[in-house]
Amino acid sequence: MGIENVRTVAVIGAGAMGAQIAMLCALAGYKTYLQDISESSLQKAHESLQFQLNRRVEKKRVTETESKMAFARLHMMTDLSEAVKTADFVIEAIVEKLDDKRELFAKLDELAPKHAILATNSSTIVNSMIAPFTKRPDKVCNIHFFNPPLKMDLVEVVTSGETSEETAEIAVELVKRLGKTPILLRKEISGFVANRLLGAMVREALHLLEQGIATHEEIDLAAKEALGHPIGPFALMDMTGIDVNYYMQLQQYQETGDPNLKPSRIIQQKFEKGEFGRKAGKGFYSYQ
């Protein structure tokens, strides 16, 4: 199979990441299925994408016709079997829980065509921890988009020892056809490249806050004004979701046993309170 054989893409999980990944595929001309077990999540995704595309039309990044055609190619549904039965490439974008991903990939392996590539958007759970739950480990890889996918340019494609060269080449070429810039990692490592760099900064930012050295607002200001970052680490955690950050840190800690990677006390407290950031109305900042 080559990239020219990829005509239909299925995205599983209609959260902020999954919805925008699906829209990228639809904008690129692919027949796209967006599946989620929650009808309300699909409705929220549709409303969010409509808002995002309207803004892009206003800013002349896409035309009105291109927007309408993309929505015509995008099909939303709760039925997993219907979503993947004709898919050539499947992208999983569900919660960062290993057991949930393994269960889903086992289902995808049964439901998707035998030639279909199965990719996870995870940046913390490497595909070799998921692939054994399928009968096609050579067709499993990571394809990690950054939040928000419609805006962020870089995509990390990661292979395991069992991922075929064909799968890697198709994944890289798909990223290019979505208008993004891929980097290909030939070895697995949790967090990949960008998030390992970011993780080191986030851990230090949390340490500075816990020690009472500076407030989260001041630390964010330092990151922006002194380092030139577009957004500070605490505002970024609010945007990506503190629950997502908690699961990522927990997964890395469980994989390595390194106490330095264990979720910080502040992150755990906010997770337990449900203060997940923007989507919850409160995180390190208030969004009422």
Side-chain angles (χ1 to χ4, degrees):
M1 187 174 81
I3 187 61
E4 67 278 357
N5 300 115
V6 177
R7 299 184 179 89
T8 302
V9 179
V11 180
I12 313 303
M17 292 295 292
Q20 291 197 24
I21 293 169
M23 179 50 72
L24 280 174
C25 296
L27 283 167
Y30 292 100
K31 186 174 185 180
T32 307
Y33 293 90
L34 177 60
Q35 186 273 345
D36 197 284
I37 58 175
S38 168
E39 190 68 54
S40 62
S41 292
L42 290 170
Q43 179 61 36
K44 184 178 179 181
H46 185 273
E47 292 170 358
S48 176
L49 290 175
Q50 192 69 67
F51 173 77
Q52 294 286 342
L53 267 291
N54 287 343
R55 289 188 64 184
R56 292 172 80 86
V57 170
E58 290 172 5
K59 295 180 179 180
K60 301 187 185 304
R61 292 175 181 168
V62 298
T63 67
E64 184 73 35
T65 299
E66 288 170 335
S67 176
K68 288 181 179 178
M69 289 178 67
F71 275 105
R73 297 187 195 102
L74 181 61
H75 308 274
M76 298 186 177
M77 59 191 63
T78 57
D79 189 329
L80 181 64
S81 176
E82 183 69 20
V84 304
K85 70 179 183 180
T86 61
D88 304 303
F89 203 107
V90 181
I91 302 172
E92 167 270 315
I94 66 169
V95 65
E96 285 291 279
K97 293 184 178 179
L98 179 58
D99 289 343
D100 290 1
K101 291 183 188 292
R102 285 174 167 173
E103 181 181 352
L104 174 61
F105 270 72
K107 291 179 181 177
L108 294 174
D109 189 50
E110 293 295 325
L111 298 172
K114 297 304 178 184
H115 70 272
I117 291 172
L118 308 180
T120 173
N121 182 54
S122 177
S123 65
T124 55
I125 300 175
V126 292
N127 70 81
S128 63
M129 298 181 71
I130 302 171
F133 290 78
T134 76
K135 297 181 180 69
R136 60 181 93 184
D138 60 311
K139 295 184 181 298
V140 178
C141 67
N142 289 71
I143 182 168
H144 175 232
F145 293 79
F146 291 86
N147 190 25
L150 281 169
K151 181 178 180 181
M152 300 296 284
D153 183 58
L154 188 73
V155 178
E156 295 171 314
V157 176
V158 187
T159 63
S160 71
E162 292 195 80
T163 306
S164 70
E165 188 65 27
E166 177 184 275
T167 295
E169 289 175 358
I170 292 172
V172 166
E173 187 58 36
L174 177 65
V175 170
K176 292 178 180 178
R177 295 193 179 198
L178 298 184
K180 301 299 178 180
T181 301
I183 60 171
L184 177 62
L185 281 66
R186 294 288 184 177
K187 292 183 178 180
E188 291 185 326
I189 184 169
S190 181
F192 308 154
V193 174
N195 276 349
R196 288 184 74 86
L197 296 173
L198 176 62
M201 183 183 73
V202 167
R203 285 192 295 274
E204 184 60 26
L206 287 164
H207 174 72
L208 292 171
L209 180 62
E210 288 179 338
Q211 295 300 309
I213 292 168
T215 65
H216 67 271
E217 295 96 338
E218 291 169 327
I219 297 168
D220 274 358
L221 188 62
K224 291 191 294 181
E225 298 302 325
L227 304 180
H229 293 190
I231 187 172
F234 295 101
L236 181 60
M237 282 188 279
D238 275 3
M239 184 176 74
T240 58
I242 289 171
D243 54 331
V244 173
N245 281 272
Y246 172 79
Y247 287 130
M248 287 172 60
Q249 292 176 19
L250 185 62
Q251 180 64 35
Q252 288 182 312
Y253 170 63
Q254 291 173 340
E255 279 185 34
T256 64
D258 184 346
N260 293 320
L261 299 179
K262 189 175 182 180
S264 75
R265 175 179 53 81
I266 293 175
I267 291 293
Q268 183 157 352
Q269 288 174 346
K270 288 195 172 295
F271 176 80
E272 291 171 352
K273 291 178 182 178
E275 296 176 358
F276 298 154
R278 289 188 184 184
K279 61 187 174 185
K282 185 178 181 182
F284 289 99
Y285 296 91
S286 179
Y287 302 90
Q288 299 299 331

